[in-house]
Amino acid sequence: MFGLGLPELGIIAVVAILILGPKKIPELGNALGKTLRSFKEGVGLADDESAQKENEKEEEGQPKV
């Protein structure tokens, strides 16, 4: 992970706790989780819409029987 080992990640965690405080860390994690969830939903909706448009184009190109 970007060339970071366990000692480096530990130092980053300690610095984050010192700067933000132990009460803010769970709030930050919660906000990050919500952001990632909404991003994944948005990407999924965009994929669904593009697939639906492709299907509509394919159906228009086929002669009706």
Side-chain angles (χ1 to χ4, degrees):
M1 182 195 306
F2 305 114
L4 296 177
L6 192 57
E8 290 87 0
L9 291 176
I11 292 171
I12 292 171
V14 168
V15 170
I17 290 173
L18 289 174
I19 291 174
L20 299 174
K23 293 181 182 178
K24 286 285 186 181
I25 298 290
E27 293 174 13
L28 188 64
N30 191 13
L32 181 62
K34 287 180 182 179
T35 302
L36 289 175
R37 191 176 315 121
S38 67
F39 179 76
K40 286 173 66 175
E41 288 174 0
V43 169
L45 289 175
D47 288 343
D48 290 344
E49 289 175 359
S50 65
Q52 184 179 10
K53 287 180 183 179
E54 281 185 25
N55 289 338
E56 289 174 357
K57 286 182 182 179
E58 289 176 2
E59 290 174 0
E60 288 175 0
Q62 296 176 353
K64 294 185 180 182
V65 178

